[in-house]
Amino acid sequence: MSAAHDATLPLPPPALPGLLVPVMAAGAGFSVASLYYAQPMLGAMGASLGASDSAIGLVPTLTQLGYAAGIALLAPLGDRFERRRIILVKSLLLGVALLAAGLAGHLPGVLLASLLVGLMATVAQDVVPAAATLAPPEHRGALVGKVMTGLLLGILLSRVVSGVVAEQFGWRAMFIAAAVSVLLMGVLLRATLPRFAPTTTLGYGALLRSMGALWMQLPPLRRAVLAQALLAMGFSAFWSTLALMLHARFGIGSAGAGAFGIAGAAGALAAPLAGRFSDRIGTQRVARLAIGIALLGFASLLLDGLLPASLQLVLLAVSAVIFDFGFQAALVSHQTLVYGLQPEARSRLNALLFTGVFMGMAAGGGLGAMALAQGGWHAVVLMACATSAAALWVRRWKTKG
């Protein structure tokens, strides 16, 4: 039996209660925010733990790698087991991992906790397929876009919150507050979500092997994953090096660096728009347009040398809005495409998509740091432009899928 037909489809979804979508959006946002709290706090964490810049820089790298591994190894379980129970268990473990990061007294403890945070923050990738399952097909893009708005706001505003909290109360307080937030959201999601019937009876090994079959069977999936992963490289290169560049060039601290997340958060408006337009005009057109917008945003950063320092900061903020908008719109359009390929395998398809995305982010963080060290800020920007252009080329391979 192929991976495409390993189970019967679930019963039609129930009507959605009024609070369900906001709760799913908040749950996805609080959980995925755990991946990014550390970024504006790295300087403070390094000073507190006596770690060098290169050593403390392993924190976001391990967190992203843990997330990629968790998506590949844990997210597919949403097809095999009751998804609501998985969401609760992961939320509890994520809270414990965040608390461990906040209480760790040495760098190895923080690094281990960071890896575990990445693994368990994949609860966000159980919430989004749940939304796709509950939505009627003709409104799937719109509903996924609404939940993704919460997730994306969590990504972007996490830097703002952690930068301010770290300056006022210390970096440990931020991790402890994050632990409380995800524990509360896990309980709320458990109480709000309906029960989800498993869509396959495959064992764990067969479940993972079926992902390889899905990858080989579905060219639209491969194009979506590759295009979004390339775009994610440039996205991560910018955000993972921004704080270092701002400190070196403008003397801006962690709170100021985190505040740029406000500009990026405006890009989260792309999620519901992309979802609605994907339902109306197709994911192919929306994805190509979105990648083009992201490329424009990155390319505009090359103009900073023509501007005085005050306007360079304005350009950074405006560019962040533009390329974040493009990145988020492309992501929602690719999700809508992928979720419609094989409904009974949504968790596995989602796992394949986001494994690619966060491998791209992890690679972008590392390559961005190397580019900054070797060629300065413009080298980071050129790298982001190159990966965005490559994503657009991949997206134009074919007009279908």
Side-chain angles (χ1 to χ4, degrees):
M1 184 178 294
S2 71
H5 302 93
D6 55 20
T8 58
L9 290 175
L11 295 174
L16 300 186
L19 289 177
L20 183 53
V21 175
V23 168
M24 286 191 292
F30 276 104
S31 57
V32 81
S34 304
L35 300 172
Y36 302 98
Y37 288 131
Q39 288 185 1
M41 305 191 300
L42 291 177
M45 292 172 67
S48 173
L49 297 168
S52 66
D53 288 348
S54 59
I56 201 66
L58 291 173
V59 169
T61 299
L62 285 174
T63 305
Q64 297 288 355
L65 288 175
Y67 196 70
I71 290 173
L73 300 176
L74 300 180
L77 296 175
D79 291 334
R80 177 63 181 83
F81 297 101
E82 206 277 302
R83 191 176 281 122
R84 184 177 56 175
R85 185 178 303 170
I86 291 175
I87 289 171
L88 177 62
V89 171
K90 282 188 178 180
S91 296
L92 294 175
L93 293 175
L94 176 57
V96 171
L98 287 164
L99 188 61
L103 298 178
H106 47 73
L107 180 62
V110 172
L111 294 178
L112 177 59
S114 298
L115 181 64
L116 295 176
V117 165
L119 283 168
M120 294 306 140
T122 52
V123 64
Q125 301 308 326
D126 296 299
V127 175
V128 180
T133 299
L134 294 173
E138 65 273 17
H139 300 298
R140 183 173 298 125
L143 182 55
V144 168
K146 290 177 181 178
V147 175
M148 283 297 295
T149 298
L151 185 149
L152 298 170
L153 285 173
I155 292 175
L156 297 166
L157 293 180
S158 59
R159 300 180 179 93
V160 181
V161 172
S162 65
V164 173
V165 171
E167 284 206 352
Q168 297 298 319
F169 305 103
W171 63 271
R172 295 183 186 276
M174 184 64 250
F175 279 117
I176 294 171
V180 173
S181 72
V182 297
L183 290 172
L184 291 176
M185 286 309 309
V187 173
L188 185 58
L189 283 164
R190 175 63 177 79
T192 307
L193 286 170
R195 184 181 181 277
F196 293 84
T199 59
T200 182
T201 58
L202 290 174
Y204 182 66
L207 193 70
L208 295 184
R209 288 193 296 273
S210 71
M211 293 169 64
L214 290 167
W215 179 263
M216 297 303 298
Q217 292 168 5
L218 300 171
L221 170 67
R222 298 196 295 272
R223 287 192 291 275
V225 171
L226 182 55
Q228 197 66 43
L230 287 165
L231 203 57
M233 289 178 67
F235 180 86
S236 179
F238 175 90
W239 286 113
S240 62
T241 60
L242 178 65
L244 297 173
M245 184 277 289
L246 289 174
H247 178 73
R249 185 184 293 186
F250 302 103
I252 294 176
S254 58
F260 273 84
I262 297 174
L269 297 173
L273 292 174
R276 288 197 294 270
F277 278 104
S278 292
D279 290 334
R280 294 176 184 175
I281 66 173
T283 57
Q284 172 70 232
R285 292 179 180 176
V286 174
R288 288 192 294 196
L289 177 61
I291 295 171
I293 291 172
L295 176 57
L296 176 64
F298 286 127
S300 67
L301 292 169
L302 295 171
L303 302 175
D304 65 350
L306 304 176
L307 302 173
S310 59
L311 292 182
Q312 288 179 23
L313 293 173
V314 173
L315 177 64
L316 275 172
V318 172
S319 298
V321 172
I322 295 172
F323 73 70
D324 269 37
F325 188 97
F327 177 81
Q328 318 304 359
L331 179 59
V332 171
S333 64
H334 283 140
Q335 283 180 288
T336 304
L337 184 157
V338 166
Y339 291 154
L341 295 176
Q342 291 190 8
E344 72 277 11
R346 281 198 182 109
S347 288
R348 283 166 284 171
L349 294 171
N350 187 69
L352 288 166
L353 175 61
F354 276 90
T355 296
V357 168
F358 280 89
M359 287 180 66
M361 285 201 172
L367 292 173
M370 291 174 57
L372 185 67
Q374 298 297 320
W377 178 242
H378 275 188
V380 176
V381 174
L382 287 171
M383 173 195 156
C385 291
T387 57
S388 300
L392 186 59
W393 178 73
V394 168
R395 193 65 272 171
R396 292 181 64 86
W397 278 353
K398 290 187 178 182
T399 58
K400 182 180 180 180

